[in-house]
Amino acid sequence: MEPRKRIKRAIEWSLKFRVDASVNRARAGHLDLPHGGVSSPVYMPVGTKASIKGITYNEMKEMGCEILLSNTYHLGNFPGTEVLDHFDGLHSFEGWSGNILTDSGGFQMVSLLKLANITEAGVEFQSPVDGSMMLLTPEESIRIQNSIGGDIMMALDDVVNPMSTPERLEEACHRTNRWIDRCIEGHNPIKPQNLFGIVQGGLDLRLRDISLAGLIPKDLPGYAIGGLCGGEKKDDFWKIVAHCTDKLPWDKPRYVMGVGYPVDLVVCACLGADMFDCVFPTRTARFGQVFTTKGFLKLRREEMKNDLTPIEPGCQCSTCRKYSKSFLCEAFHKEEATCYLLSVHNIYFLLNLMRRLRQSIVTNTLDAFVKDFMVNWFGGLENVPKWVFDAMKEAKISLE
Ligand SMILES: [Zn+2]
């Protein structure tokens, strides 16, 4: 094939990122995006109308949410790009005035669809509508994300479980680096959107370095660390995050994908990560599980029928301000839809956890904040796992 002759001007990305304060590797940052500012570290709830089930955008705003994640795969099916183009994007279609980050659609396909196969061309999959074989290429992923009009778009990567064979991990790492050029090429800069690249390489530091070396020269407005949360050991998890944040540019936001467990958020933020997303807070709410500063709480009807205190005393979420544990247990067992009240608390918990952590960076009290959080969560310093101590040592944060 003839090399492309077309010379494209370097794209001017609109995202502006600054670090307001830092404690060792941890940063209190600020992202200036087309739909307003975002203070980081930040947890981004997954929030297309179909997935936040019962929580309104007004409630999201009231909770202080500045950026939501939307699934490209779902939006490409419904409402589809024609409708999105007609409405000039998802913001006006759904009436959300804050920022939106869209995923590439690739992860959803590989995890949701049985018949997904990755080739150099893209992700092949069987249409859930009519069963025909379809292909999501890097160009097509960006075309759909252009129609959605999110403030941050994610590059299509070769999604691979970190437990895959070394050959498969090597292939995925190189292919993701090849696909980033096709994503940039496929971007139509009609709206002020921003493209993040994704660092791959599984648990292999050499592959992570190859991925980093391929991506950083692209001078993208931000970078994500992908390929984690596939059941790897916590020791491997934090070391990969630390390795990548150490090499990624200081003046760009870093997003650890698929992380939503409170302890992991705190650890990653201390290691220099800025953005997180996960469906875990809403998924675990469906099983009657809620986050508290003292760890997980399972709402049990028998134990809590006379408990008139909220899930977390002092929590400012709308659930804790209105309802007792006793009420929530009764409601939860009678009407499954009330699990949205628990989702509200869990999402607020993570939003607020990141706000408080940010504040402790600004006031240079991060050590005390992290120690307090870990001691409460694990029920004493002696119960904090070794991997947390090791990660905090790397982050130069003392828990003693
Ligand atoms: Zn609450």
Side-chain angles (χ1 to χ4, degrees), residues 315 317 320 345 348:
C315 175
C317 86
C320 289
H345 169 81
Y348 182 87

